[in-house]
Amino acid sequence: MSVTIKDVARIAGVSPSTVSRVISNHPRISRKTSDKVKQIMTELGYHPNIMAQSLVSRTTNTVGIILPRPAEELFLNLFFSEVIRGIVSQTSRAGYDLLMTSGATEAEEVEAMTRLVRGRRIDGVLLLHSRSNDPMIKLLKEEEFPFVLIGRSADDPDIVSVDTDNVQAAYDAARHLIMQGHERIGFVSGPPNLMVSQDRLAGYRKALKEAGLETRDEWMVEGEFLQESGYRAMSFIMNLPEPPTALVVTDDVVTFGVVRGLTELGYRVPDDISLVSFNNIALAEMSTPPISSVDIGIYQLGYTASHSLLRSIQGETGGQTRMIIPHRLVVRESSLKSDRHWR
Amino acid sequence: MSVTIKDVARIAGVSPSTVSRVISNHPRISRKTSDKVKQIMTELGYHPNIMAQSLVSRTTNTVGIILPRPAEELFLNLFFSEVIRGIVSQTSRAGYDLLMTSGATEAEEVEAMTRLVRGRRIDGVLLLHSRSNDPMIKLLKEEEFPFVLIGRSADDPDIVSVDTDNVQAAYDAARHLIMQGHERIGFVSGPPNLMVSQDRLAGYRKALKEAGLETRDEWMVEGEFLQESGYRAMSFIMNLPEPPTALVVTDDVVTFGVVRGLTELGYRVPDDISLVSFNNIALAEMSTPPISSVDIGIYQLGYTASHSLLRSIQGETGGQTRMIIPHRLVVRESSLKSDRHWR
DNA sequence: ATGAAAGCGCTAACAC
DNA sequence: GTGTTAGCGCTTTCAT
């Protein structure tokens, strides 16, 4: 079938262990033998059987992720592509591969994870999000399996995680609107059970409170990370007796829905209502009008999480448990009243 | 360390081979033994070591993909997320996992693929695109390794592939504009070396020719799958002495750039210029104005490719070599002149 | 219906 | 420096 270490050994006239040593660049192997073996290897097109290597070395050079089940949550908003790109670019550089799987239900997800972890199929896990009381985290902790969370866990402040300072990010966004002179500022949020939603809401509230501005519950709406959510939110919010004059919106894609909703209702952005959003996807800049957005460095989030996981797999201890990727508010037209200028 | 088949065997008072038989649901194993062993397995939290299974079974229950290197090409336009979702949902259902890797250069990509294929780390490969004279395809054919291409190969018409009928899709798009009464129709294309670009251009040309309309080279511009490409194309196209009154654009994201460019130049869509695009991403509907777009079923593309690959891995022979996922033009405001209506 | 033994392809003591 | 040997955890004849 496939060419094995034995074939190479036989043809090179050495023992299999010598070939193995050549593969792993063992120090005390004669230059001559090494060269000869290497030549035979390329002649034969030999490549080590990775499964056999894994079996004996008890490592797989693979990290795993479970695809988020409610695909909409992460997929449509471009978060997924970008974070994967960050992850893979780091893992590949380090000689690791990324294994993805999924489950149709939460039970299946946990089952899949168990299979990978206990079956020693992977060396570590990246968690793309966490719910409160997350069974994945429970499992991984029980198994003492290396993992890194992208985001924040409510229950376990001591697990290794890479996150945005969402409280501060939302604070910055709201603060920017306040500086523009707005006094009635609303908030279009994502799913309330996610930490990211809770943190951003907290930051928004903090900014308003600090500025002595009113916070009304009716100015805060929850939804999904979908355009429809933003769209629908507008028919509610703009029909209030006293609608806000500015909105902090939790995601660019949701903001597109918001803009569309406002346009249909006859409002103009930013003249009638100002917007600040999150994630700063490429489309935010190209939108009409261009959307002010907090860039949270999604690629960097993936890259850093990946890096940290590999460190912990390789037994390096004592990194920080909570790493924060810096964010940056990119101001564009959507939050600049035409007669004013941001400075 | 981890609990193995031997531990289970010892505690259950049977031999390892019996335990193995229980795992694989061997027919002639007594109900009683099976139950006992299964109970012990759950008690001990036993999970088979996947690497050991793979080593002996010579299969990995894993399919591989190489992340496209020029990330922009596939990532920004949402194609990637959606196709991955289709792939994983199918593979997971069938008990397979997806392994992703990447390379910084083309040489590294081929090297990574070689490692996976010859190292027997995966059972099959999904190709997300193909260039002409693709070294990946060459390698896979040499190794007689199962693979399925999403897209079309210029060189090898006989390889198994799943694709959109892009000629027909572009024909439909152009035809729609012609029916709207347009006589000067332009085309904003993607990278000219990709089959998808060539096919769509061909379909566009065919529709115009059939209708006896003029095709001018200056009405056709090439670019990337980026908004910037669409944006820049407009300053060129609209400065022509006789600019087109309608455009077929190869991708929704590019179209957003086109809209932005047109807006800045003072043109309105669709009143001054009509647009039809491809891919029908969720944002197309929420855009201002909503974009007419050809839905090519990206999820389905991934799902079908995945399905076909698994069939071929499992030795089923004689499927079609070229599968076409049906497309569908979704007409929205961007291609409907305000005083006319599509019927 | 079950056990014993060989071996998947590789690595890692332990010899010399 | 290199060969010999004994597994890694599992499956699979071949016996019984």
Side-chain angles (χ1 to χ4, degrees):
Chain A
M1 188 77 180
S2 229
V3 33
T4 77
I5 211 171
K6 282 184 186 170
D7 302 323
V8 178
R10 188 164 28 80
I11 297 182
V14 297
S15 79
S17 36
T18 302
V19 178
S20 173
R21 289 189 178 102
V22 171
I23 293 172
S24 53
N25 285 313
H26 192 98
R28 38 185 193 185
I29 201 90
S30 85
R31 181 59 185 270
K32 197 174 147 203
T33 331
S34 170
D35 286 350
K36 185 173 61 185
V37 169
K38 275 180 181 158
Q39 192 201 326
I40 307 266
M41 290 200 307
T42 50
E43 269 175 27
L44 265 47
Y46 169 78
H47 277 256
N49 181 308
I50 302 180
M51 295 308 182
Q53 282 183 323
S54 289
L55 181 57
V56 57
S57 71
R58 295 158 174 290
T59 68
T60 62
N61 278 28
T62 306
V63 308
I65 66 171
I66 303 275
L67 275 210
R69 193 156 25 81
E72 307 72 33
E73 263 181 28
L74 285 175
F75 277 93
L76 293 182
N77 64 3
L78 299 193
F79 184 92
F80 175 76
S81 316
E82 195 60 11
V83 82
I84 291 289
R85 211 160 67 79
I87 291 170
V88 173
S89 102
Q90 165 59 20
T91 49
S92 286
R93 180 174 321 217
Y96 279 70
D97 298 315
L98 179 67
L99 191 77
M100 289 185 13
T101 190
S102 74
T105 62
E106 172 158 3
E108 272 188 35
E109 279 183 358
V110 176
E111 196 183 355
M113 178 72 89
T114 310
R115 181 175 55 85
L116 296 183
V117 169
R118 307 203 63 134
R120 296 286 174 242
R121 173 99 191 249
I122 53 181
D123 295 341
V125 169
L126 285 168
L127 256 27
L128 258 36
H129 60 334
S130 117
R131 359 179 198 295
S132 33
N133 222 311
D134 196 321
M136 294 290 185
I137 294 185
K138 184 161 168 289
L139 169 67
L140 293 165
K141 292 193 86 165
E142 275 174 15
E143 295 285 326
E144 298 184 31
F145 205 78
F147 75 99
V148 171
L149 170 65
I150 297 181
R152 188 160 88 77
S153 162
D155 323 307
D156 284 298
D158 57 323
I159 67 181
V160 180
S161 61
V162 180
D163 199 7
T164 307
D165 184 343
N166 280 306
V167 176
Q168 184 66 40
Y171 177 91
D172 293 350
R175 187 79 202 141
H176 164 61
L177 292 170
I178 293 167
M179 297 294 283
Q180 297 290 305
H182 291 282
E183 300 187 337
R184 302 203 307 272
I185 302 177
F187 186 71
V188 179
S189 179
N193 59 324
L194 296 186
M195 291 310 298
V196 54
S197 301
Q198 297 172 23
D199 285 352
R200 287 184 184 166
L201 185 61
Y204 153 82
R205 282 180 177 282
K206 181 178 165 214
L208 265 61
K209 190 175 172 193
E210 239 183 58
L213 296 180
E214 195 181 356
T215 56
R216 291 196 206 163
D217 281 349
E218 58 189 27
W219 290 343
M220 306 170 206
V221 290
E222 292 162 352
E224 308 284 310
F225 287 130
L226 298 171
Q227 305 97 308
E228 284 76 19
S229 290
Y231 182 78
R232 284 197 219 99
M234 288 311 98
S235 53
F236 170 75
I237 283 200
M238 300 313 287
N239 277 323
L240 293 173
E242 267 195 315
T245 65
L247 293 171
V248 178
V249 186
T250 195
D251 178 88
D252 291 331
V253 172
V254 178
T255 304
F256 295 136
V258 165
V259 170
R260 175 111 182 105
L262 290 172
T263 305
E264 284 193 8
L265 293 169
Y267 296 97
R268 283 171 315 162
V269 179
D271 303 283
D272 300 323
I273 186 157
S274 289
L275 301 176
V276 178
S277 180
F278 285 86
N279 291 355
N280 192 32
I281 65 176
L283 289 174
E285 186 176 359
M286 302 304 289
S287 163
T288 315
I291 307 290
S292 297
S293 193
V294 180
D295 193 319
I296 62 169
I298 299 172
Y299 178 93
Q300 194 65 24
L301 233 28
Y303 190 90
T304 306
S306 204
H307 186 69
S308 163
L309 177 62
L310 294 187
R311 278 175 45 102
S312 114
I313 287 174
Q314 282 152 12
E316 292 184 39
T317 171
Q320 301 172 58
T321 62
R322 180 160 158 81
M323 281 155 280
I324 295 296
I325 303 299
H327 61 265
R328 171 176 69 92
L329 172 63
V330 180
V331 175
R332 303 201 180 91
E333 277 180 40
S334 74
S335 62
L336 296 175
K337 289 194 182 175
S338 24
D339 53 341
R340 298 184 180 217
H341 288 287
W342 173 249
R343 50 196 175 80
Chain B
M1 189 73 182
S2 229
V3 32
T4 77
I5 212 171
K6 282 185 187 168
D7 302 323
V8 179
R10 188 166 27 79
I11 298 181
V14 297
S15 78
S17 29
T18 302
V19 178
S20 173
R21 289 189 179 101
V22 171
I23 293 172
S24 52
N25 285 312
H26 192 98
R28 34 186 196 187
I29 202 90
S30 84
R31 182 59 186 270
K32 197 175 147 200
T33 327
S34 170
D35 286 351
K36 186 174 60 186
V37 169
K38 277 180 181 159
Q39 192 201 326
I40 307 266
M41 291 199 307
T42 50
E43 268 174 27
L44 263 49
Y46 169 78
H47 277 257
N49 181 308
I50 302 179
M51 294 308 184
Q53 282 184 320
S54 288
L55 180 57
V56 56
S57 71
R58 296 158 176 289
T59 67
T60 62
N61 278 26
T62 305
V63 307
I65 67 172
I66 304 275
L67 274 210
R69 192 159 25 81
E72 307 74 30
E73 262 181 28
L74 285 174
F75 278 93
L76 294 182
N77 63 7
L78 299 192
F79 184 92
F80 176 77
S81 315
E82 196 59 12
V83 82
I84 291 289
R85 211 159 65 77
I87 290 169
V88 174
S89 101
Q90 164 59 20
T91 50
S92 285
R93 180 174 320 218
Y96 279 70
D97 297 316
L98 179 67
L99 190 78
M100 289 185 14
T101 190
S102 74
T105 62
E106 171 159 1
E108 273 188 34
E109 280 183 359
V110 175
E111 198 183 353
M113 179 71 88
T114 310
R115 181 176 55 84
L116 297 184
V117 168
R118 306 204 62 136
R120 297 283 173 243
R121 173 154 227 188
I122 52 181
D123 295 341
V125 170
L126 286 168
L127 255 28
L128 259 36
H129 60 335
S130 118
R131 2 181 193 296
S132 32
N133 222 311
D134 196 320
M136 293 292 183
I137 294 185
K138 185 160 166 291
L139 168 67
L140 292 165
K141 292 193 84 164
E142 275 173 16
E143 295 285 327
E144 300 183 30
F145 204 76
F147 75 99
V148 170
L149 169 65
I150 296 180
R152 189 161 88 78
S153 162
D155 323 307
D156 282 297
D158 57 323
I159 67 181
V160 179
S161 61
V162 179
D163 198 8
T164 307
D165 184 344
N166 279 306
V167 175
Q168 184 66 42
Y171 177 90
D172 293 350
R175 187 79 203 143
H176 164 61
L177 292 171
I178 293 167
M179 297 294 283
Q180 298 290 305
H182 291 282
E183 300 187 337
R184 301 201 309 270
I185 303 175
F187 186 72
V188 180
S189 180
N193 60 324
L194 295 186
M195 291 310 299
V196 54
S197 300
Q198 297 172 24
D199 286 350
R200 288 184 183 166
L201 186 60
Y204 152 82
R205 281 179 178 282
K206 183 179 163 214
L208 267 61
K209 191 176 169 192
E210 239 183 57
L213 297 180
E214 196 180 357
T215 56
R216 291 195 204 165
D217 282 348
E218 58 190 26
W219 290 343
M220 306 171 207
V221 291
E222 292 162 352
E224 308 283 310
F225 287 130
L226 298 171
Q227 307 95 308
E228 283 77 18
S229 290
Y231 182 79
R232 284 197 220 101
M234 289 310 98
S235 52
F236 171 75
I237 283 200
M238 300 313 288
N239 277 321
L240 293 173
E242 267 195 316
T245 63
L247 293 171
V248 178
V249 186
T250 196
D251 178 88
D252 291 331
V253 173
V254 176
T255 303
F256 295 137
V258 164
V259 170
R260 176 112 182 104
L262 290 171
T263 305
E264 284 194 8
L265 293 171
Y267 297 96
R268 284 171 312 163
V269 178
D271 303 284
D272 300 323
I273 186 158
S274 289
L275 301 176
V276 178
S277 179
F278 286 86
N279 292 355
N280 192 34
I281 66 177
L283 289 174
E285 185 176 0
M286 302 304 289
S287 164
T288 314
I291 307 291
S292 298
S293 193
V294 179
D295 193 320
I296 63 168
I298 299 172
Y299 178 93
Q300 194 65 22
L301 234 28
Y303 191 90
T304 305
S306 204
H307 186 68
S308 163
L309 178 61
L310 294 188
R311 278 176 45 100
S312 111
I313 287 174
Q314 282 152 13
E316 293 184 38
T317 171
Q320 301 174 57
T321 62
R322 179 160 159 80
M323 280 154 282
I324 296 297
I325 303 299
H327 61 266
R328 173 175 68 93
L329 172 63
V330 180
V331 175
R332 302 198 182 91
E333 277 181 38
S334 74
S335 63
L336 296 175
K337 289 194 180 176
S338 24
D339 53 340
R340 297 187 181 218
H341 287 288
W342 174 246
R343 51 193 173 86

